[in-house]
């Protein structure tokens, strides 16, 4: 009977489930279960050599078999390391997002500072204009007072001469 790629994939999936069950059960599995798994993986490796696959695909499948043959404790450690790696990757992505947000806020604050400076300069100009108008108004009053007194003086002089 010829062993096909599909048969190999199905057998690998079955053995992967068995290995996963043994890993989750820990020390509860018997030695005979472990030996049966190792025997099945050995057969899988032998059948792999009979398949007509590119060398890179055969190498990838050998690594899959090797991964299942590892000690369950090491497999659990690898799973934990993979979980930590995913967590670190998520933290990295979040830190990039936070960095981007901080840059955005920095730009917004810079723009706001520029606008505050422009508003301050505008207020200073308007204050100066208001002070100038007030000064001009008081000079105008003084001038009107001088003109009024001058007219009064002329009237008094004319009245005194007559």
């Amino acid at each position: 009977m010829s062993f096909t790629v599909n048969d190999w994939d199905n057998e690998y999936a079955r053995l992967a489930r068995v290995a996963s069950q043994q890993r989750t059960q820990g020390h509860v599995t018997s030695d005979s279960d472990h030996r049966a798994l190792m025997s099945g993986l050995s057969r899988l490796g032998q059948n792999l050599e009979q398949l007509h696959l590119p060398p890179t695909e055969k190498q990838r499948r050998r690594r899959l078999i090797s991964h299942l043959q590892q000690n369950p404790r090491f497999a659990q450690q690898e799973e934990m390391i993979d979980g930590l790696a995913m967590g670190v990757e998520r933290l990295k992505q979040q830190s990039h997002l936070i960095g981007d947000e901080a840059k955005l806020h920095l730009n917004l604050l810079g723009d706001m500072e520029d606008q505050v400076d422009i508003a301050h300069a505008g207020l200073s100009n308007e204050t100066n204009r208001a002070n100038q108008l007030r000064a001009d108004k008081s000079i105008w009053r003084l001038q009107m007072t001088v003109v009024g007194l001058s007219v009064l003086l002329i009237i008094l002089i004319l009245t005194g001469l007559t």
Side-chain angles (χ1 to χ4, degrees):
M1 177 175 139
S2 177
F3 206 72
T4 65
V5 173
N6 193 33
D7 293 335
W8 193 95
D9 288 341
N10 289 337
E11 182 64 13
Y12 174 79
R14 185 186 70 76
L15 291 172
R17 280 191 303 275
V18 169
S20 176
Q21 288 171 351
Q22 285 185 6
R23 270 196 303 269
T24 56
Q25 292 174 357
H27 298 295
V28 178
T29 59
S30 67
D31 284 339
S32 63
D33 290 341
H34 186 69
R35 279 194 300 271
L37 174 63
M38 291 300 133
S39 171
L41 290 172
S42 177
R43 268 193 327 273
L44 205 56
Q46 292 168 358
N47 291 334
L48 178 61
E49 300 307 319
Q50 298 170 4
L51 297 176
H52 300 289
L53 293 171
T56 55
E57 179 63 18
K58 282 187 178 182
Q59 184 62 30
R60 184 186 72 82
R61 290 174 185 246
R62 280 188 203 102
R63 280 194 304 259
L64 291 173
I65 293 170
S66 172
H67 180 70
L68 290 180
Q69 288 173 334
Q70 290 178 350
N71 186 335
R73 250 184 295 159
F74 292 134
Q76 286 174 340
Q77 288 175 352
E78 281 188 24
E79 287 175 13
M80 290 171 60
I81 290 171
D82 288 344
L84 288 172
M86 287 189 303
V88 167
E89 183 62 30
R90 279 193 306 267
L91 286 173
K92 178 183 170 188
Q93 290 171 352
Q94 288 177 347
S95 66
H96 283 297
L97 290 173
I98 290 170
D100 293 344
E101 179 109 7
K103 288 176 187 174
L104 174 67
H105 285 267
L106 199 64
N107 290 338
L108 291 174
L109 286 172
D111 292 345
M112 198 164 43
E113 181 181 10
D114 294 343
Q115 291 173 356
V116 166
D117 289 342
I118 290 169
H120 184 267
L123 283 174
S124 294
N125 288 339
E126 291 302 317
T127 302
N128 290 339
R129 281 174 82 196
N131 288 335
Q132 184 66 35
L133 283 173
R134 187 178 61 196
D136 288 348
K137 187 177 179 184
S138 65
I139 290 174
W140 184 78
R141 276 190 186 164
L142 183 61
Q143 289 171 348
M144 293 314 267
T145 305
V146 168
V147 168
L149 289 175
S150 297
V151 169
L152 183 64
L153 180 64
I154 292 173
I155 293 174
L156 288 176
I157 291 177
L158 289 177
T159 349
L161 288 174
T162 51

